[in-house]
Amino acid sequence: MRDRYTNVAIALHWILALGILAQIGLGYFLDNVPRGSPERSAWVNFHKSIGITLAALIILRLAWRLTHMPPPLPVAMPAWELVAARANHALLYVCMVGMPLTGYVATNFSKFGIKYFGLVTLPPWGIDDKQIYAAFNGAHKILALVFVALILLHVAAALKHALWERDGLLRRMWP
Ligand code: HEM
Ligand code: HEM
């Protein structure tokens, strides 16, 4: 039985982990950039461009995951931990889809489109509606908090296995 993730799954996991952590940092950094300033427009478009790029990688990752089963979790793990790990992973996928989706939909109900890395302009396909924007932007912000909590739990669990139990779980995902 295969006891490691595939090289593609490992590459996508770590590229996305770095990209998503940077994107979360960038998202909260936006809170400190004054609204209406020219530099805000540049930073927001940078965040949107990275977000769209991450979304493409996330779709690729989901497609790979659905066609390539992960190695089975160690049978020695207690039942609650198996359930917790599966729930954590499933919810991480929900956030990986939900974050770019809510951001993208919100943006399309504003008068701003997306200037993809300043190269291509994607004009909004929705109407300029403050209420619809606020609903999706609110979802983007709440989901961001849930995502951060899930990632902290995920990293704590990975470190517990690597440093405390030393059961080689991290090695399954290590390049
Ligand atoms: C994996 C993808 C993404 C992650 C992890 C992410 C994360 C975040 C975070 C953490 C914030 C700050 C939330 C807060 O201040 O409470 C934020 C804000 C924002 N995000 Fe994203 N985002 C992603 C994708 C996108 C995409 C694709 C778009 C649009 C195309 C987008 C548009 C925005 C905008 C406009 C804000 C500022 C909202 C405001 O200040 O009112 N995001 N994002
Ligand atoms: C934004 C950050 C991260 C996200 C979104 C994320 C997401 C995920 C997801 C969804 C899985 C499940 C893969 C599957 O079976 O389909 C996974 C597995 C894994 N992740 Fe992460 N991860 C992140 C960061 C990290 C970090 C920083 C570490 C290490 C400290 C880590 C260690 C692992 C390990 C060891 C596994 C394999 C668990 C197993 O063997 O079942 N992850 N990750």
Side-chain angles (χ1 to χ4, degrees):
M1 199 75 189
R2 201 166 43 81
D3 63 348
R4 271 173 67 75
Y5 280 87
T6 60
N7 289 337
V8 175
I10 293 172
L12 285 170
H13 174 269
W14 291 106
I15 292 168
L16 277 170
L18 289 178
I20 287 169
L21 288 176
Q23 176 76 340
I24 291 173
L26 185 54
Y28 285 119
F29 166 77
L30 290 180
D31 289 345
N32 304 317
V33 185
R35 286 181 190 272
S37 65
E39 63 267 28
R40 179 164 177 97
S41 156
W43 280 112
V44 169
N45 267 299
F46 187 50
H47 178 81
K48 290 177 182 177
S49 305
I50 293 180
I52 299 284
T53 311
L54 290 173
L57 288 170
I58 288 163
I59 292 169
L60 207 67
R61 179 171 185 187
L62 270 180
W64 188 266
R65 174 63 174 79
L66 293 173
T67 49
H68 299 77
M69 275 294 128
L73 284 163
V75 272
M77 259 165 74
W80 73 266
E81 217 177 322
L82 292 171
V83 173
R86 285 201 192 101
N88 177 266
H89 293 168
L91 291 172
L92 283 169
Y93 282 119
V94 169
C95 288
M96 277 191 273
V97 172
M99 282 310 295
L101 194 63
T102 50
Y104 176 75
V105 174
T107 292
N108 279 284
F109 287 97
S110 74
K111 60 181 183 297
F112 307 108
I114 301 168
K115 290 177 199 73
Y116 187 76
F117 291 114
L119 298 171
V120 189
T121 301
L122 307 170
W125 42 254
I127 52 169
D128 183 11
D129 185 309
K130 292 212 161 40
Q131 273 184 333
I132 303 177
Y133 175 82
F136 282 97
N137 189 38
H140 195 65
K141 291 185 173 198
I142 292 168
L143 210 54
L145 293 175
V146 175
F147 203 9
V148 169
L150 289 169
I151 293 169
L152 288 176
L153 204 64
H154 180 67
V155 173
L159 292 180
K160 167 179 155 303
H161 281 281
L163 305 173
W164 189 274
E165 288 166 16
R166 298 168 189 257
D167 56 4
L169 201 82
L170 185 57
R171 235 176 294 136
R172 292 148 52 92
M173 191 49 110
W174 202 252

